[in-house]
């Protein structure tokens, strides 16, 4: 009976959390960011403040989920993310991965779908923070490099979408191309959720039998120089790096699927 009550509460608490997230996004769009646009004329300063606001909002959201008993969270190696101008590549097992990362990373930037820039709940934060929009155009690579070179910590999920539990991990080569063309070292971040929840194709109300524990682990930086020097051309270097990243993240994926 206690387990059933606990599970029932976590369904309610998860719904409350997502409702709070949606309302918070709408409040930011309708009140906070319009006021920021009026008060701060300098675009770069406005973007920095907007990202600080979003980080604080995401930290509150994560804290709310922890307080309500929706999840527990452990972060390791966060000191490796100090400073700006980093390319951060992470695996993507759950719906809230970007929220977890943006909550702990200062001046975080990320690639978001263009549709989020039109969504009434997300368009305010997305546009105010100057996030990189994935519109499928040729300028995406340049936008990513500009983000890192201007001091942002750019988060990319090389899978392009959430992992499919039980299926082999497959990374798109775009993240590796950004690293190679920009000659950027890579900071890998592994996210594990046990027991699994909020996976691709899974409804939010199908909570696991026990409270999920999220572990975010920042690994040692991967130097890009050996991949560039060991390849005849950039495309080959990106292919080698992508293979290395696939091996790196596959170990975490296999553990999560076991």
């Amino acid at each position: 009976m206690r387990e059933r009550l606990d599970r029932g509460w976590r369904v309610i608490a998860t719904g409350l959390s997502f409702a709070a997230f949606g309302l918070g996004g709408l409040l930011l769009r309708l009140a906070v960011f319009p006021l920021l646009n009026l008060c701060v004329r300098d675009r770069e300063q406005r973007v920095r403040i907007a990202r600080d606001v979003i980080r604080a909002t995401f930290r509150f959201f994560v804290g709310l989920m922890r307080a309500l008993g929706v999840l527990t969270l452990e972060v390791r190696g966060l000191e490796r993310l100090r400073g700006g101008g980093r390319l951060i590549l992470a695996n993507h097992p759950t719906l809230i991965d970007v929220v977890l990362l943006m909550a702990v990373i200062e001046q975080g930037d990320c690639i978001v779908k263009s549709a989020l820039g039109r969504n009434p709940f997300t368009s305010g934060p997305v546009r105010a923070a100057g996030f990189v929009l994935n519109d499928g155009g040729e300028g995406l690579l340049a936008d990513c490099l500009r983000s890192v070179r201007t001091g942002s910590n750019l988060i990319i999920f090389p899978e392009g979408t959430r992992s499919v539990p039980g299926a082999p991990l497959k990374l798109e080569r775009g993240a590796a191309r950004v690293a190679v063309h920009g000659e950027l070292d890579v900071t890998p971040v592994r996210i594990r959720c046990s027991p699994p929840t909020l996976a691709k194709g899974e409804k939010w109300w199908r909570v696991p039998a026990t409270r999920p524990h999220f572990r975010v682990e920042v690994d040692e930086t991967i130097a890009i120089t050996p991949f560039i020097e060991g390849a005849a051309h950039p495309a080959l270097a990106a292919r080698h790096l992508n293979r290395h990243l696939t091996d790196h993240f596959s170990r975490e994926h296999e553990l999560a699927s076991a």
Side-chain angles (χ1 to χ4, degrees):
M1 176 63 72
R2 182 180 297 177
E3 291 179 356
R4 292 179 61 184
L5 288 174
D6 176 71
R7 195 169 190 173
W9 165 248
R10 283 188 287 110
V11 172
I12 296 172
T14 301
L16 290 173
S17 297
F18 281 115
F21 185 82
L23 289 174
L26 191 59
L27 178 63
L28 291 178
R29 177 179 181 270
L30 295 179
V32 176
F33 291 129
L35 182 62
L36 180 63
N37 288 335
L38 286 174
C39 297
V40 183
R41 294 297 182 183
D42 182 75
R43 184 183 182 279
E44 290 186 5
Q45 184 182 5
R46 191 166 63 241
V47 165
R48 285 195 300 271
I49 295 174
R51 289 180 180 176
D52 287 339
V53 170
I54 290 172
R55 181 170 180 251
T57 303
F58 283 1
R59 287 173 70 89
F60 173 82
F61 177 64
V62 173
L64 177 65
M65 289 191 292
R66 296 175 73 177
L68 291 175
V70 173
L71 56 82
T72 58
L73 175 64
E74 172 188 9
V75 181
R76 299 181 179 179
L78 188 59
E79 68 279 357
R80 293 171 179 154
L81 294 179
R82 288 174 183 159
R86 294 184 180 277
L87 177 61
I88 300 167
L89 305 186
N91 63 320
H92 198 3
T94 82
L95 179 64
I96 61 172
D97 298 330
V98 68
V99 175
L100 296 176
L101 292 181
M102 294 290 286
V104 299
I105 296 173
E106 295 182 1
Q107 287 302 306
D109 192 2
C110 60
I111 300 176
V112 300
K113 296 178 181 178
S114 295
L116 294 179
R118 300 186 296 271
N119 185 296
F121 293 101
T122 58
S123 61
V126 166
R127 296 193 176 278
F131 292 148
V132 176
L133 294 177
N134 184 4
D135 57 6
E138 291 297 323
L140 180 59
L141 175 61
D143 290 342
C144 290
L145 295 180
R146 186 180 306 112
S147 173
V148 177
R149 286 169 178 164
T150 54
S152 300
N153 289 309
L154 179 62
I155 303 166
I156 301 180
F157 298 105
E159 296 166 79
T161 184
R162 276 176 283 168
S163 310
V164 178
L169 189 70
K170 183 179 180 181
L171 304 188
E172 302 293 335
R173 205 172 295 170
R177 288 184 64 228
V178 172
V180 169
H181 282 266
E183 298 185 3
L184 302 172
D185 294 338
V186 171
T187 303
V189 176
R190 289 176 293 129
I191 302 171
R192 182 188 296 183
C193 177
S194 178
T197 187
L198 298 175
K200 189 176 180 65
E202 186 176 60
K203 304 300 184 182
W204 65 264
W205 61 82
R206 296 191 180 277
V207 301
T210 59
R211 187 187 309 180
H213 177 69
F214 284 77
R215 190 183 74 187
V216 178
E217 187 158 2
V218 184
D219 293 328
E220 294 283 354
T221 298
I222 299 173
I224 193 63
T225 302
F227 294 94
I228 295 175
E229 292 181 345
H233 51 81
L236 187 59
R239 191 177 306 133
H240 289 165
L241 176 59
N242 198 58
R243 189 179 302 123
H244 179 83
L245 292 170
T246 300
D247 292 341
H248 184 88
F249 288 120
S250 288
R251 292 191 290 273
E252 193 67 42
H253 181 64
E254 290 165 1
L255 286 172
S257 301

